[in-house]
Every structure is written in structure tokens, then in C-alpha cells.
Amino acid sequence: MKRICSILLLTTLSAASSVAQTAGYKAQISQLDKNIYTVFYDKPTGLYLETNNVAENKGQHSYLWPLTALLQAANEQESLAPGKQHIAQVMKAINQYYSGRAPAPGYQAMVVKEKADTRFYDDNEWIAIALMDAYNRTHNQQYLETSKLIYRFLLTGYDEATGGGFYWEEGNLKSKNTCSNGPAILVALRLYQATKQQNYLDTAIKVYSWTKRNLLSPTGVYFDNIRVPSLKIDSALYTYNAGTMMQSAVLLYNITRNNAYLTDAINLANASEKQFYRNGKLPDNYWFNAVLLRGYLELYKVDKNKQRLQFFINDANRIWKEEKDDRGFVGRKSVKTLIDQSAMLEIYARLQELQLEK
């Protein structure tokens, strides 16, 4: 009897998932976009707010990081509807974070006119990744030039301490993180694909090897960082670190046709689902998970194993059912954040595009 009930439950859940997939994600995309521009967008300044809570925001506009998430979501929206313009509005805000100070121009963590602030290499990398995705669609030369500028800034954060690798924060020589090296590889690879300049590919291969050698964990996913100069490993495991390294491995395979990279990607995909998808859900950080999804989708383009994506689809459907409030905001906490709305906007847009595949 228990076996029959279990079969019926699985059938019901599968049917519910199929209905959600058939219906698509247009409603989710529309609701999240509306909420962002109703609540988080500060029209007079062209900037965005970090949360929907005035006290939490402390009179400041958002840090750059959530805007990088919104920029990627904007690209996915344009992919679904090429006639619509979403990127320009977000870049208008991001440009207000631009700092031309030495040793190379880049984007700082806070709005320049509001505060002189530090610059994070990964913040800059997320911008370049989104812009290179957009460049591949549109061939807009400005996207390419901004990404080249960011790459030049990244090089100021590289040295041979610990054998190579990029630091996480400008001027902070205490750690080299997977979250600054994985996306750096992606920036270099996208620039190589666009320009065929060998130096970009050389950087990508070198940094990929360094990251794998120093930060791949025994469980098959990636540790967070290595401390400098002690070489102590921060053993925290995050979905986005797996995502960037998985996507990097697939792109390296596509470029070099070296099967070792494809094997790396498949092994990392298998390990990531085992590590992170527990009790029918992914960890709470939506944006980290959005970056992980990018890796799986890059692998899917090669092996066409759609079943590998099913747990993402299940989790996205669960979030809309269980972690959305009556106003259409996602997030488990009462205060809603721009990065959460942007991350789920990206995820639903990517899943919608996947569903529309012929």
C-alpha cells in the first residue's frame, strides 16, 4: 500500500511539474520585472535600491553586485524578446559606479558620487560576462570594449603568490577565491571567442589549471578560497563556484576539443547535484544557484541531457509556489532584495528559453 501511495505521489508531482513547464514562465518573468521597476528602481537618479525596506537601505542606493545580477537577467529577457531593450537601463546605473582611478579603470562597489569605495574583481567579472553574452547576440561593439576594459582591470589583481590566480578584492592580498577566478576564466574565454587573440585563451587555461589544482574539493565541487600567504583553504562550498568552473570547462572543451575538460564538466555536474540538491531543494541563495544553472545549461548545449536540468526546474517551480509572497516578491525573509528578484528573473527567463527549444 505504501508503495502504491508513493507511486501516486510521484506521478502527481511529475504531472504538476509538467503543467508548470507547459504553462511556461511568462507570468513569473512579468511579475518580477514589474516588481523590480515598481519598488527597487529610483527613476530620478536612474539607480536601484538594495532592498524594499527603507531602514535596511540606510539612505543608500544598491551595491554594484545586485546590479550585475539584474544585468544578466536583462540579457536573458532580451534573448527571449529581441525587440525589447533591458540592458541599456541597467548599464546606465552601472556606469555610475565607474571609477577611472589607477592602476586601471573599473567599477567600484558603491555609486561613485555617493561614496569612494573598494573595487571587487568578481563584481567587474559578472558585468563582463553579461555583456559578452549580449555581445554574442547583438555584436554591439560597446559591450566588447567595456569587457576588454574590465579584463585589463582584472590583470591588476593577478600575481604569482600561491602559484597564480586572481585576488577577490583590490588591494586586499589575503585571499584568492574561486568566485574571482572562475568568472575570470569565463571573461577571458568569451573575449578569446570574440577576438581570437591568443593571450585571452592562455590566461583562461592557466587560471583554470590553477583553480582546479588549488581549490577542487575531494567531493568534486570547489572550495571557496585559498588564504595568502598561509595557503589555508576555506572549505565553504557554494553553488556559484561550481557553476563558473563547470561553464569554463565546457567552453574550454568547445575551443580546444580536449575531452579532459568535458569530463571535468560532467564530473562537476554530477557532484554538484549530489552536494547541493538536498531534500528536494537547492540552497537559499537564488543568485548563487542562477550561476550554477549557467554551467548546467552550457553543458546541456553539448550533451543534450535535459534530464540533468530537471532538479533546477523542480526547484524553480517550488520557489514560486512556496517562497513567493502575495505581492509576487520572492525570498524567504520578510525584507525582499533586488538580487533575489533579479536572480529568479534570470532563472525563469533561462528556463523559458529552454522550454521554447525546438
Side-chain angles (χ1 to χ4, degrees):
M1 188 66 175
K2 287 183 179 178
R3 178 185 170 92
I4 294 172
C5 290
S6 297
I7 292 171
L8 287 172
L9 177 60
L10 288 172
T11 303
T12 302
L13 290 172
S14 176
S17 178
S18 297
V19 169
Q21 292 176 56
T22 302
Y25 298 95
K26 289 182 179 179
Q28 289 91 327
I29 293 165
S30 177
Q31 183 67 64
L32 290 168
D33 183 74
K34 178 183 176 183
N35 285 353
I36 288 169
Y37 282 94
T38 301
V39 174
F40 295 91
Y41 183 57
D42 181 18
K43 191 172 181 179
T45 62
L47 293 164
Y48 296 81
L49 303 173
E50 184 98 358
T51 79
N52 65 345
N53 182 282
V54 173
E56 290 268 346
N57 294 333
K58 300 177 182 177
Q60 298 177 331
H61 288 99
S62 174
Y63 283 98
L64 178 60
W65 178 32
L67 268 66
T68 71
L70 183 58
L71 181 63
Q72 189 70 58
N75 179 67
E76 308 321 312
Q77 287 179 282
E78 287 191 11
S79 295
L80 285 172
K84 299 288 182 68
Q85 296 295 314
H86 297 275
I87 292 173
Q89 192 163 10
V90 185
M91 279 307 300
K92 182 181 177 182
I94 287 175
N95 286 336
Q96 296 189 56
Y97 295 73
Y98 175 84
S99 168
R101 68 176 181 260
Y107 295 85
Q108 69 168 40
M110 291 292 288
V111 179
V112 170
K113 67 182 180 183
E114 296 179 353
K115 180 183 179 183
D117 205 3
T118 190
R119 298 189 292 192
F120 291 92
Y121 296 108
D122 64 329
D123 281 356
N124 283 262
E125 290 159 353
W126 305 123
I127 295 169
I129 289 167
L131 290 181
M132 288 308 297
D133 285 351
Y135 174 77
N136 289 338
R137 280 190 305 105
T138 66
H139 301 292
N140 182 322
Q141 193 66 23
Q142 185 57 56
Y143 297 158
L144 179 61
E145 294 307 316
T146 300
S147 299
K148 288 179 179 178
L149 177 148
I150 287 171
Y151 179 81
R152 290 191 290 272
F153 170 65
L154 298 184
L155 292 181
T156 69
Y158 181 94
D159 67 21
E160 291 298 328
T162 74
F166 289 93
Y167 292 99
W168 174 52
E169 178 185 359
E170 185 179 24
N172 182 346
L173 307 184
K174 294 180 180 179
S175 72
K176 293 184 175 182
N177 296 46
T178 306
C179 76
S180 51
N181 284 277
I185 300 164
L186 291 173
V187 174
L189 290 174
R190 290 306 194 194
L191 286 171
Y192 172 75
Q193 289 176 317
T195 68
K196 298 302 185 241
Q197 292 180 16
Q198 186 65 32
N199 61 303
Y200 293 128
L201 182 56
D202 291 344
T203 296
I205 290 173
K206 183 177 182 179
V207 176
Y208 181 89
S209 297
W210 178 88
T211 309
K212 181 181 176 183
R213 184 170 64 253
N214 287 280
L215 291 166
L216 182 63
S217 79
T219 61
V221 296
Y222 279 82
F223 290 133
D224 187 59
N225 69 73
I226 183 170
R227 305 296 291 179
V228 182
S230 69
L231 304 186
K232 182 180 179 181
I233 298 294
D234 182 333
S235 60
L237 305 173
Y238 299 116
T239 51
Y240 73 148
N241 289 330
T244 57
M245 291 303 292
M246 193 187 310
Q247 188 174 11
S248 295
V250 177
L251 292 180
L252 280 165
Y253 166 74
N254 290 340
I255 292 166
T256 67
R257 308 315 290 180
N258 183 337
N259 282 312
Y261 291 123
L262 183 57
T263 299
D264 281 354
I266 292 170
N267 289 342
L268 184 50
N270 293 336
S272 296
E273 181 176 0
K274 182 178 180 181
Q275 176 68 43
F276 296 118
Y277 191 60
R278 304 283 182 88
N279 301 315
K281 62 184 295 188
L282 284 164
D284 288 342
N285 193 308
Y286 301 153
W287 182 78
F288 283 11
N289 300 339
V291 177
L292 180 62
L293 177 58
R294 299 174 199 174
Y296 277 90
L297 288 172
E298 204 71 61
L299 180 57
Y300 169 73
K301 292 175 188 176
V302 174
D303 72 3
K304 296 300 180 183
N305 182 356
K306 208 165 193 174
Q307 186 56 40
R308 206 194 302 280
L309 297 167
Q310 189 58 49
F311 76 96
F312 264 105
I313 295 168
N314 293 346
D315 193 60
N317 293 341
R318 179 195 63 78
I319 287 168
W320 197 250
K321 180 180 178 181
E322 297 178 4
E323 297 179 8
K324 172 181 64 69
D325 67 16
D326 55 7
R327 299 167 298 167
F329 291 96
V330 290
R332 297 183 66 185
K333 296 180 180 178
S334 58
V335 174
K336 307 305 179 184
T337 64
L338 175 60
I339 197 166
D340 277 352
Q341 314 316 304
S342 301
M344 291 311 301
L345 179 56
E346 175 189 343
I347 288 172
Y348 291 128
R350 288 187 184 276
L351 293 181
Q352 177 72 6
E353 190 164 15
L354 179 69
Q355 186 178 301
L356 293 174
E357 267 193 2
K358 299 297 183 185

